[in-house]
Amino acid sequence: SCGEDVHSVGARLESLTLIIPCHFPRPPQDWIRPYYQRVADRVHEVILVDDASPYSLKDLDHPRIRHLSNSKTMGPAFCRNRGAEAATTDQLGFLDADVYLPPELLDRVDRQFGAGYDAFVGQIDLDRPRSGSLVADHYNLRMRHNYRTTDVVDALYSSCAFIRRSVFEEVGGFDEGYLVPSVEDAELGLRLSQHGWAIRVSHDIVFAHRNDLGLGSLLRSDFVRSRDRVELLAKKRARATLGKTGRFLSSPGNQLLSLAAVAATPVLVALGAMWNAPAMLPLGPVAFYGLSAPYFVEIAREGRPLLFLTSLVLLPVEMTAVLCGVSIGVARMIVRRVTGRSRGGAD
C-alpha cells in the first residue's frame, strides 16, 4: 500500500535524481514533508526547485535533499531544467509536488532503465490515497484512462516521468517559454520523437496525484493547454502528432468528433427550435456520450456513483473549455501569420 515505509523497500538508487518543482500558494499538505524525507533516503538526491512560493520547504533538512529557489516565478519548465542542470546522476526523474510514489516505484524505475528504457512515464492509480476532491478524482481518472489505452505516448508527462540525462540534454530540455503549466510536456515529446526516442508508459509504475484541483483550475488548465496545443500542432513538424497530445478520450478521432459534437449542440438546438423538430435537440449530447462510452464504462467499474455523476457533468464542460481554447488558439495563430510574428513558447 501507499502507506508502506520506504525504508523497508529495496536499496538506495545512487544513479537517480528526483527533481520536483515547487510552488505552494497555500501551506503544503501535511504528508509532503515526511514523505519527501523518506523518499530522499532511497535515491542519490532530491532537488526541490522553489518557484518563488509564498510557502516554501526550505526548512526541510535532509542530507540528500537540495534546495534551489527562483527570485520570481519562472514556471515548471524552467524549474525542471534548472534541477536537471544541478543533478549529479545519469538518470533523472521529474515529479509534481503533489505526487505520491508508492515505495516499490523506485525499484521498478531502476529495472526499466536497466531494461533499456530511455524515457518513460508512470501511470495514475486511483486505488492509492485519494485527493478528497471529486474534481481532482475525475481529472485523475481521465488521465488514467488515457495512459491505459497505449504503451507509447507523445508527451513526457512530467507528473511522473523518467529520462536518461544524456537524452534530455541531447534534445535541449523543456521549452522555458511556457511560463505556466501547458503543453511543454508534449513539446518536449515532439523533439524526442524527432530524435528517434520513444516515450513508453510503464503500466507497473503507479503513482497517486494527490492534488486539490478545483473546477476553475481544471477548466483554466483545459483552456490553456488546448490554446497552446493549436500552435504546437500547427507547426509543420508537428502534424503527425495531431490529436495525440493531451488526449481526452481513447483516440484522436474520438477527441475531434467529441469536440464537433459539443460545438454542434447549440446549433442543433437552435435549428430544432426553428424547424419545430424536437428530435434534433438531443443529437449533440447523444453523439458526445456515445463517443465517450469507453471512458464512462471505466468509471462505472470504479463503483463510485458520485464520481460517475461528476464526470457525466464535467466531461462536456471540459470539452467546451477545450473548444474555447482551440478557437482562441486558431485566432491567435491567424493573427501571427498575418502580422508575420511567431514565438517558440507560450504566454
Side-chain angles (χ1 to χ4, degrees), residues 36-314:
Y36 283 2
Q37 289 179 318
R38 300 205 315 266
V39 168
D41 287 333
R42 291 289 325 285
V43 298
H44 179 75
E45 60 186 351
V46 173
I47 300 179
L48 303 179
V49 186
D50 183 81
D51 200 19
S53 293
Y55 298 89
S56 75
L57 296 175
K58 293 179 182 178
D59 60 328
L60 187 56
D61 186 24
H62 190 285
R64 291 180 178 266
I65 294 179
R66 299 169 58 191
H67 295 272
L68 304 178
S69 60
N70 302 329
S71 58
K72 63 178 181 178
T73 302
M74 300 297 294
F78 177 90
C79 293
R80 294 182 193 117
N81 286 347
R82 188 177 179 193
E85 290 174 1
T88 59
T89 64
D90 296 328
Q91 298 170 1
L92 306 177
F94 297 104
L95 306 173
D96 283 350
D98 57 2
V99 160
Y100 191 111
L101 297 86
E104 66 270 21
L105 172 65
L106 296 174
D107 293 322
R108 296 179 184 183
V109 168
D110 189 52
R111 288 199 296 269
Q112 297 291 46
F113 277 121
Y117 282 29
D118 298 300
F120 53 98
V121 298
Q123 177 175 293
I124 292 175
D125 185 354
L126 292 190
D127 294 331
R128 302 292 168 180
R130 296 168 181 163
S131 64
S133 161
L134 283 172
V135 173
D137 282 348
H138 158 79
Y139 170 80
N140 288 332
L141 182 60
R142 173 164 60 73
M143 292 304 297
R144 187 186 72 176
H145 177 75
N146 290 340
Y147 285 28
R148 280 184 171 179
T149 58
T150 184
D151 293 321
V152 178
V153 291
D154 296 307
L156 190 73
Y157 296 116
S158 51
S159 296
C160 181
F162 303 89
I163 187 170
R164 295 189 191 278
R165 182 172 183 168
S166 58
V167 175
F168 186 77
E169 292 176 347
E170 178 180 332
V171 300
F174 289 95
D175 184 343
E176 296 176 7
Y178 295 100
L179 301 182
V180 297
S182 181
V183 294
E184 68 276 10
D185 297 347
E187 197 278 335
L188 176 58
L190 175 62
R191 284 183 281 118
L192 285 167
S193 177
Q194 290 173 337
H195 283 74
W197 304 106
I199 305 170
R200 302 178 183 274
V201 178
S202 296
H203 297 287
D204 62 342
I205 295 178
V206 294
F207 65 95
H209 212 161
R210 300 180 66 179
N211 52 36
D212 54 356
L213 192 66
L215 179 58
S217 298
L218 175 65
L219 298 181
R220 191 180 310 113
S221 173
D222 290 335
F223 174 85
V224 169
R225 284 183 165 89
S226 300
R227 180 199 66 189
D228 294 343
R229 192 177 301 133
V230 169
E231 182 171 349
L232 178 63
L233 299 181
K235 296 178 181 179
K236 183 177 180 179
R237 66 178 185 271
R239 288 177 184 168
T241 70
L242 181 61
K244 292 182 180 179
T245 55
R247 292 175 300 174
F248 276 78
L249 304 175
S250 58
S251 73
N254 264 8
Q255 183 185 7
L256 297 175
L257 290 173
S258 297
L259 282 173
V262 170
T265 296
V267 176
L268 292 171
V269 169
L271 291 177
M274 288 172 55
W275 297 343
N276 194 25
M280 295 183 65
L281 303 183
L283 289 180
V286 168
F288 174 80
Y289 286 112
L291 291 165
S292 308
Y295 173 68
F296 286 107
V297 167
E298 182 169 339
I299 301 176
R301 289 173 178 166
E302 288 293 317
R304 298 176 61 189
L306 195 54
L307 178 59
F308 182 89
L309 293 175
T310 299
S311 294
L312 203 66
V313 173
L314 283 187

